[in-house]
Amino acid sequence: MDTLVRLLQLLVLILTLPLHLMALLGFWEPLCKTYFPYLMAMLTVNCNRKMDSKKQELFSQIKGLAGASGKVALLELGCGTGANFQFYPCGCRITCLDPNPHFEKFLTKSMAKNRHLEYERFVVAFGEDMKQLASGSMDVVVSTLVLCSVQSPKRVLQEVRRVLRPGGMFFFWEHVAEPRGSWAFLWQQVLEPTWKHIGDGCCLTRETWKDLENAQFSELQMERQPPPIKWLPVGPHIMGKAVK
């Protein structure tokens, strides 16, 4: 099976050789950082339509998590275009964090459409190092389709626990690997080296549920969902919450 994966990976590499050459020469990443927000803006409309009821169910739980100020201090990791804003309840003060500064103009548009929220700031940083944010400063942290593309999910989850107050909640919705040994998993392995370039670092074969289980949250609730967009090589999704 490993030999077949390598052969098919080589075939895909040959078919997408210009992309890999651009990446090798350092031309692809700046281009990807520019176009990726536009790609996400198109895809998230379709995702939100398909996941509307599930997202409403998940994020409706935020309402009761207000801190001493009476507001919910909410940090969204890898905030992207702000596709989740419409699902957040009134009284949330939103801090957005993303390593790609090109998303900011999309966030501004999303905030203008969601006046029920208070926009705190946009932090350009990686989830593995959120030193701009104080420990215990957040009531809620949200991550949707983010842990697939970070360098270290373990470090990101450590930072999530650090910035959350005691009793604060981490809400997540992430795509994960298909079952090992399946043909679907084989194709994820085949496509992953090329997909990482197309998807701004997105990994298809991550078993993120294991990172969540090992992150030392006091409580973890998680359910598995089928992928909302069938023609993409991303696998099933996990959705749930964890309590610090």
Side-chain angles (χ1 to χ4, degrees), residues 9-125:
Q9 282 178 340
L10 180 59
L11 177 60
V12 173
L13 187 149
I14 292 169
L15 292 173
T16 57
L17 189 58
L19 184 156
H20 289 275
L21 285 175
M22 288 177 68
L24 185 64
L25 296 170
F27 297 139
W28 178 256
E29 185 173 355
L31 180 63
C32 180
K33 294 293 183 188
T34 303
Y35 89 77
F36 193 66
Y38 293 92
L39 176 63
M40 290 304 295
M42 290 188 294
L43 290 177
T44 51
V45 172
N46 191 19
C47 277
N48 274 350
R49 187 166 57 249
K50 292 177 179 293
M51 295 298 295
D52 182 273
S53 62
K54 281 295 180 182
K55 281 194 173 185
Q56 287 193 37
E57 178 186 336
L58 183 69
F59 295 135
S60 65
Q61 302 172 70
I62 292 172
K63 190 178 295 185
L65 297 172
S69 67
K71 304 284 187 180
V72 177
L74 187 153
L75 168 66
E76 180 157 357
L77 300 180
C79 51
T81 61
N84 291 326
F85 292 171
Q86 63 182 291
F87 300 103
Y88 296 153
C90 295
C92 290
R93 292 187 289 109
I94 312 295
T95 298
C96 300
L97 184 140
D98 201 292
N100 188 345
H102 295 288
F103 275 116
E104 187 166 15
K105 64 180 180 182
F106 292 91
L107 288 174
T108 303
K109 290 180 182 178
S110 292
M111 272 297 168
K113 295 176 182 176
N114 293 278
R115 297 292 186 182
H116 64 292
L117 305 175
E118 295 180 25
Y119 184 36
E120 288 285 291
R121 57 175 172 152
F122 176 55
V123 179
V124 179

